[in-house]
Amino acid sequence: QEQLVASGGGLVQAGGSLRLSCVVSGSTFYSYHMAWFRQATGKEREFVAAITPNGRNTGYEDSVKGRFAISRDNAKNTMYLQMNDLKPEDTALYSCAARTYGDSRIEMSPYRYNYWGQGTQVTVSS
């Protein structure tokens, strides 16, 4: 059973930046597809960004393209989400997820991920 621990959330003013981290236990992080999802109060969970095991391919939800950047450091078992130019509509609980099976495609459905972290709250004030 893998454990994912997300951190880095907080309260920030619109236009500000935050960097989220997700540390994954175990020795096979390098083989996992990783992703960030978010869920605002009263809304469904939505895809934010994903990255392939070697970090060469990434995918983003349209509203965060150009503002957010996903990355990973396989030597540290850690995935990151750099969030710039934050907007109030980015306010949500951000969770990291791992997919330990399947092909090389970027997957945007939460049902394709089999391990989840506990989430970290991001609140953007206007």
Side-chain angles (χ1 to χ4, degrees):
Q1 183 78 12
E2 297 293 358
Q3 290 190 336
L4 285 66
V5 179
S7 62
L11 174 64
V12 64
Q13 289 187 333
S17 299
L18 285 173
R19 188 174 83 152
L20 306 184
S21 298
C22 176
V23 179
V24 181
S25 66
S27 61
T28 52
F29 173 77
Y30 65 89
S31 68
Y32 298 164
H33 291 260
M34 299 295 298
W36 289 98
F37 289 81
R38 65 186 180 186
Q39 187 168 19
T41 302
K43 295 187 176 181
E44 292 187 354
R45 179 182 289 171
E46 69 171 353
F47 171 79
V48 177
I51 188 167
T52 52
N54 61 12
R56 291 177 183 170
N57 294 313
T58 58
Y60 296 92
E61 192 268 330
D62 285 346
S63 71
V64 308
K65 286 180 181 177
R67 300 189 297 122
F68 291 10
I70 190 171
S71 62
R72 65 192 295 160
D73 185 338
N74 287 348
K76 297 182 178 179
N77 279 23
T78 303
M79 173 182 65
Y80 304 98
L81 185 68
Q82 178 67 43
M83 304 186 296
N84 299 325
D85 189 24
L86 282 161
K87 305 176 184 299
E89 51 265 41
D90 294 318
T91 294
L93 181 69
Y94 284 70
S95 299
C96 54
R99 177 163 67 90
T100 62
Y101 66 96
D103 58 27
S104 61
R105 288 177 294 182
I106 293 288
E107 293 284 356
M108 295 188 289
S109 169
Y111 300 104
R112 296 288 290 169
Y113 293 84
N114 51 330
Y115 290 108
W116 290 83
Q118 84 290 0
T120 184
Q121 178 67 36
V122 172
T123 303
V124 184
S125 63
S126 57

